Amino acid sequence: MTALIRPFITLTTDFGLSDHFVGTMKGVIININPAVKIIDISHQISPQNIEEAAFVLECAYKYFPPYTIHVVVVDPEVGSSRKPLLVVGGRYYFIAPDNGTLSFLFNNEEEQVKVIEINAEHYFLESPGFTFHGRDIFAPVAAWLSKGIDVNNFGVETSNYIRRDLPKPETFGTDLIRGKVIHIDKFGNLISNIKRSHIDELVARTGKGKFEIHIKKTKIEGINQFYAQGERGKPNAVINSNGYIEIYCYMGNAREELKAAKGEDVGVVIKK
């Protein structure tokens, strides 16, 4: 990859906005490279929720200009022996702790990646402790990378890193796909790991175009094109902007209506 004169750095963390953490990271970055542009993806990831961070970043990262540096700090094992990683993808850079946050990249056969264990400590800040690697390691490394430092200067390439098995939908027989709720957004919408492509495959295999979405004891017939098509306050389904089946209540809250939680089973059943 060729460095840009004015690159972008994104931040995804579980730090929230009530403390100094996010602002401090930005200060470190700008102190090293005042020309860089910093963009917040989210700082409201549930505390220590690695899978949520992975989902949010996966939904967002491709919509940034090429060579954007994506920094993820959701780090339950901060200060331990877990490694900091720099991952070079086909169009983007990623900097994150080695805890499986980037498994959506590692498990994608179409995405060729180079993984570097960051160990060049002269790019780190001097630190009085071990509890804020976002400030002391990830932010300065991102900033120096944004100035055009070669990726190989930050450490050594490795094939020893954590991959998480992200939940995938399963097919049962010829007429059922079973997945799970993998994310609940601020509106209470229940986002499953079942994609439009899974439904298309099921319909093509059975030759039948009518189906129901099942969650808990609720059956939802078919899929709407947009939210306002749904009956107000009742559970409905839509294919969201990232291609996943999403269960929602128009002008309501599906999580509260269904008393649902992350991990709930979601089924797509072909109607007889």
Side-chain angles (χ1 to χ4, degrees), residues 11 18 24 54 95 133 150-151 174 179 203-204 220 229 233 249 267:
L11 301 178
S18 61
T24 299
I95 297 174
H133 283 177
D150 188 279
V151 294
T174 60
V203 168
I220 303 167
Q229 282 183 314
C249 290

Side-chain angles (χ1 to χ4, degrees), residues 1 3 84-88 93 95 114-124 137 140-158:
M1 288 185 177
L85 299 180
L86 165 58
V87 179
V88 183
Y93 302 100
I95 297 174
K114 176 179 181 178
V115 182
I116 294 170
E117 178 182 346
I118 302 169
N119 59 17
E121 295 186 6
H122 54 281
Y123 291 115
F124 302 173
I137 297 177
V141 166
W144 286 113
L145 179 61
S146 75
K147 295 193 72 170
I149 301 296
D150 188 279
V151 294
N152 296 301
N153 290 352
F154 291 101
V156 294
E157 188 169 0
T158 181

